[in-house]
Amino acid sequence: MNVFLRELSAYRKSTIIWCASLSAILIVFMALYPAFTSDVAATKQVLGQFPEALRTALNISLSDFFTIYGFYGYLLNFAILAGAIQAMNLGTGIISKEVAGKTADFLLSKPMTRGRVVSAKLAAAFTIIVITNVVFCGVSYLAALMVATETFAIGTLLLLASTMFLVQLVFLALGALFAVLIPKIKSVIAVSMPAVFTLYIVGTLGDVLGNDKVRYMSPFKFYDTAYIIKNVGLEGKFIALEAAIIIVAIAASYVIYIKKDVRASA
Amino acid sequence: MNVIETTKLTKYYGKSRGIIDVDMTVAEGEIYGFIGPNGAGKSTTIRTLLGLIHPTSGSATIFGKDVTASGPEIRQEVGYLPSEVFYYDDMRVIDLLRYSASFYRKDRTAIEARIKSLAELFDLDLKKKIDDLSYGNKKKVGIIQGLAHEPKLIILDEPTGGLDPLIQQQFFHLLKEENAKGATILFSSHILSEVQKLCDRVAIIKDGSIIKVEQIKTLLENSTKRFKLELVETPVASAFAVDGVSDLAITNHSVSFLYRGRVNEITKMLAEQDLVDFLVEEPDLEEIFMHYYKKEDEQ
C-alpha cells in the first residue's frame, strides 16, 4: 500500500494538469459545435469540396459530423491522442523511474518482492487513468449538454468517451513494457512520443489507403466512432485483441522486472 | 551462528567477470571488513546478498535463509547504505524516512523516535527537501534510513565517501554501539585504515575472488608501511638492508621503501641516519597486494 500511495502522490500534480488539459480540449472543441451546425448545408458544402483523402485523414464523415455524436467523436480523436501520451508517459515513467533516478537501490533493498513493487506501481497508474477518465466522461457529458440542440443518449456518448479509457490502457501497458525493455531511459518523453505518434500515423495512413488490416496495428483504430454510433457497442474482436496485448505486455513487464539485475549506479 | 554464508558465489555480467567462487562467512555479532580496489567485486557481492542482482551460480544465505528465495523476509532485518545515495528529490527528508520505515514490520513510534534522535545526532534538518540537501547531508539521510529500523545485519558499501571527519567519527561510534547491541556489520571499503578502525576480521578481494581472510590484529602486526626519507648525505643502500624492507629505491638524497614488521626495528635503523625529513604512509591497496601477498600469488 505504501508504494501505491507514494506513486499516487508523486503523480498528483501531473494528473491534475492532464485532467485540466483534456477538459480544456473538450470544452474548446465543443464550444465550436454551434458554429458548425448553425448552417449545416453551407458547412457541408465547404467540407464536401475537400478532397476525399483529406477528409478521411482528418476523420471527417459527412453523414455523422453534424450530429452531436459525430462531432464529439471527431474531437475525441485528438483527445485520445493526448490521452495516449499521458498513459504512455505514465506507464514508462512509473516503472523506469527507480532506475532512471537511481532510487532502485533504495526501493529494491526494502523487504518487498519485486512483483509486489510492480503491482503497486501498476495499480497506482491504473487508478490515475481511471480518475482521468471519470473527469473526462463527466466533462464530456456536461459539455455535450451545454451545446446540444436536441436530446442525445447519454449511453452512446459515454460509450464513445470510454474508448479513451480503452486506448489509454493499451498505451499504459506498452509504456510499462518499454520501461523494462529499454536499459536506461533518460527521458520518458523521448520514448513515449515517438511510439505514440508512430502508431497514430500508422492508423491514419491505413485510413487514407483504405487498408482495413491496419486497424489491427494501431490502437487508435481499434474502436471506430461510426461503428459505435451505429451499433451502440464495441467490436468484440478488438476488445479481445486489446486484452491480449495488455496481458502479454504486462506479463512480460513483470518477468523482466523481476529478473533484472540492478547494477551499481556509479 | 553465521549471519552471512556464501558458497561458491559467482556472478558474470554477460561475459565480464563480477565475482568468482566467493566463499564468505560472517559470524553473528561480528564487524566484517570487505576490502579491495574498485572493480574487485565488493559491490557485486553485496548487491547479490541484497537480491539486487541475481547470482550466476553458487548460493548465499543470510540468517540461514537463501537470499534468492527469501529475499523480502531477510531484508526485514537488514539495513543497507550504498556508496552513493539517491532519493526522491520531491520528498522532504522526514517523508522519505517515514516511507522507508513503512516497509518494515516494526513499531512505527519506535522507528519515528529513532529517526528523530539520529537526526539530532547528525544535525540533520528533517523538514528540508531532499533536492536541497548537500551530498554529505544526503548521506546522513542514507545512514538514518539504513539504521532506523534497528536491523540485525547492517550492510555498508563504501559508506564514508562524502562524510566529513567529524561525522565519520560519529558514524563509526554509532556503528560500534549497534554492534554492541548485537548487530552484525558487513563493511566494504577500499581504504585500509577505515577497516582497521572498525572491523574484527577482514576479507581481501581482488579480481573477483577473495584472496585472504585475516584477523585485523594479524593484519596490523604484519602491516606494511611506505617510508620516504630525505637525507643530508647520499644514502648507502646497505644501510637499509633490514629484514622486512622491500621495494627500495634510492634517488639522489631521497630513499623510498616498504617496510613490513615491528616498527621498533625500523626506528632503530632510522635513528642512525642523518635525516632532513621523513614520511610514513599507508601503502595503497595495490602495493599491499603486490608485496604483502607476493608469496600467496607465487604459490
Side-chain angles (χ1 to χ4, degrees):
Chain A
M1 203 60 183
N2 47 0
V3 175
F4 174 77
L5 293 175
R6 156 75 196 142
E7 293 300 352
L8 280 190
S9 104
Y11 279 94
R12 188 174 48 206
K13 215 185 203 170
S14 107
T15 308
I16 292 171
I17 293 173
W18 275 106
C19 285
S21 314
L22 288 169
S23 302
I25 297 178
L26 277 173
I27 292 165
V28 168
F29 259 86
M30 288 304 266
L32 296 176
Y33 180 66
F36 272 92
T37 48
S38 59
D39 190 351
V40 176
T43 322
K44 234 179 198 171
Q45 205 197 349
V46 172
L47 289 178
Q49 282 165 354
F50 284 16
E52 206 192 321
L54 181 65
R55 283 207 307 267
T56 344
L58 291 174
N59 251 317
I60 297 171
S61 136
L62 285 182
S63 58
D64 283 334
F65 192 71
F66 300 97
T67 68
I68 188 83
Y69 304 135
F71 192 81
Y72 177 76
Y74 180 67
L75 82 88
L76 200 55
N77 285 308
F78 302 102
I80 287 178
L81 177 59
I85 294 169
Q86 180 204 12
M88 182 111 185
N89 276 350
L90 186 60
T92 309
I94 209 163
I95 298 293
S96 72
K97 68 197 269 189
E98 312 297 341
V99 174
K102 301 177 179 177
T103 46
D105 272 19
F106 168 80
L107 184 63
L108 300 180
S109 66
K110 295 292 170 208
M112 194 180 205
T113 62
R114 291 200 199 174
R116 285 193 55 199
V117 170
V118 178
S119 299
K121 282 171 172 283
L122 290 178
F126 182 75
T127 308
I128 290 167
I129 295 296
V130 168
I131 292 170
T132 308
N133 279 279
V134 168
V135 172
F136 187 75
C137 287
V139 174
S140 297
Y141 177 66
L142 291 178
L145 210 56
M146 300 243 254
V147 297
T149 43
E150 54 217 276
T151 56
F152 61 92
I154 179 170
T156 310
L157 189 87
L158 291 186
L159 197 60
L160 283 169
S162 74
T163 59
M164 164 85 148
F165 178 65
L166 293 171
V167 174
Q168 282 198 309
L169 287 188
V170 178
F171 280 98
L172 182 66
L174 288 179
L177 182 63
F178 275 51
V180 293
L181 286 179
I182 302 170
K184 263 193 183 158
I185 296 178
K186 290 220 173 80
S187 153
V188 171
I189 296 274
V191 173
S192 63
M193 286 294 213
V196 169
F197 279 105
T198 305
L199 288 173
Y200 190 80
I201 291 165
V202 165
T204 306
L205 279 179
D207 276 353
V208 174
L209 299 173
N211 187 339
D212 231 25
K213 295 206 175 65
V214 176
R215 281 191 67 199
Y216 295 92
M217 286 163 59
S218 173
F220 291 104
K221 297 294 163 196
F222 284 3
Y223 306 105
D224 180 48
T225 21
Y227 179 92
I228 297 169
I229 295 167
K230 200 170 149 213
N231 301 290
V232 197
L234 303 166
E235 286 165 277
K237 57 183 176 183
F238 284 101
I239 294 181
L241 174 62
E242 160 151 2
I245 292 172
I246 291 175
I247 289 168
V248 170
I250 295 295
S253 304
Y254 269 98
V255 171
I256 298 169
Y257 197 84
I258 289 168
K259 284 199 171 163
K260 210 156 141 173
D261 281 338
V262 182
R263 301 195 47 183
S265 45
Chain B
M1 196 195 112
N2 286 327
V3 170
I4 302 176
E5 233 180 296
T6 69
T7 321
K8 296 211 168 299
L9 193 64
T10 300
K11 175 68 188 177
Y12 276 92
Y13 300 106
K15 275 186 182 165
S16 70
R17 181 237 354 125
I19 46 172
I20 304 161
D21 289 345
V22 167
D23 290 315
M24 179 165 95
T25 50
V26 180
E28 190 173 6
E30 191 173 24
I31 305 186
Y32 192 91
F34 200 29
I35 192 154
N38 293 327
K42 300 188 297 288
S43 290
T44 299
T45 310
I46 284 175
R47 299 175 84 78
T48 311
L49 292 173
L50 289 163
L52 290 172
I53 57 179
H54 306 290
T56 309
S57 64
S59 66
T61 62
I62 293 180
F63 309 127
K65 290 167 199 147
D66 185 78
V67 293
T68 315
S70 316
E73 202 187 329
I74 291 168
R75 294 197 292 270
Q76 279 288 346
E77 290 295 347
V78 174
Y80 168 54
L81 176 63
S83 52
E84 284 195 69
V85 292
F86 295 97
Y87 299 116
Y88 308 96
D89 283 343
D90 58 323
M91 282 176 126
R92 289 183 310 153
V93 175
I94 186 68
D95 297 331
L96 179 98
L97 292 172
R98 282 187 185 137
Y99 182 44
S100 167
S102 69
F103 288 91
Y104 301 97
R105 288 190 303 261
K106 297 239 164 132
D107 180 31
R108 276 311 142 71
T109 47
I111 297 184
E112 184 87 17
R114 200 166 144 80
I115 289 173
K116 295 261 157 68
S117 76
L118 287 175
E120 212 164 298
L121 174 71
F122 287 117
D123 192 22
L124 179 68
D125 185 356
L126 289 173
K127 293 204 179 77
K128 270 201 172 171
K129 267 203 165 186
I130 300 278
D131 202 21
D132 298 334
L133 296 181
S134 67
Y135 188 73
N137 279 334
K138 267 189 206 171
K139 204 95 195 200
K140 292 179 190 172
V141 176
I143 296 173
I144 300 175
Q145 169 273 135
L147 299 180
H149 57 291
E150 307 208 88
K152 287 189 191 136
L153 172 64
I154 302 167
I155 296 180
L156 308 156
D157 192 0
E158 302 194 11
T160 52
L163 288 182
D164 65 54
L166 191 70
I167 300 292
Q168 191 169 325
Q169 211 180 341
Q170 280 174 329
F171 176 47
F172 279 17
H173 182 73
L174 181 67
L175 288 177
K176 282 190 173 149
E177 259 178 29
E178 289 307 304
N179 179 245
K181 280 194 272 176
T184 308
I185 299 174
L186 175 62
F187 184 103
S188 108
S189 176
H190 61 269
I191 305 160
L192 192 61
S193 58
E194 237 177 54
V195 173
Q196 282 175 358
K197 255 185 243 169
L198 201 67
C199 302
D200 307 320
R201 267 203 310 165
V202 58
I204 297 175
I205 187 166
K206 191 191 176 192
D207 296 336
S209 304
I210 291 186
I211 54 173
K212 186 95 181 170
V213 179
E214 190 97 80
Q215 296 287 334
I216 281 289
K217 265 187 252 156
T218 326
L219 203 66
L220 284 178
E221 277 161 17
N222 293 312
S223 76
T224 307
K225 297 264 189 286
R226 175 161 290 284
F227 283 75
K228 284 178 182 166
L229 315 179
E230 200 71 41
L231 294 113
V232 179
E233 305 282 323
T234 309
V236 198
S238 61
F240 299 94
V242 179
D243 252 8
V245 169
S246 61
D247 202 26
L248 182 68
I250 300 175
T251 42
N252 296 329
H253 288 225
S254 44
V255 184
S256 161
F257 59 87
L258 285 175
Y259 176 72
R260 176 186 169 191
R262 284 168 47 80
V263 178
N264 256 336
E265 302 292 325
I266 198 79
T267 47
K268 269 182 211 154
M269 183 273 279
L270 290 178
E272 289 160 17
Q273 306 294 324
D274 198 358
L275 292 172
V276 177
D277 195 6
F278 89 118
L279 179 72
V280 186
E281 54 185 15
E282 298 261 358
D284 62 34
L285 273 174
E286 282 303 316
E287 284 181 312
I288 294 181
F289 292 134
M290 279 163 67
H291 296 279
Y292 186 66
Y293 291 106
K294 217 173 207 168
K295 283 174 203 149
E296 278 86 347
D297 282 355
E298 280 162 4
Q299 276 168 14

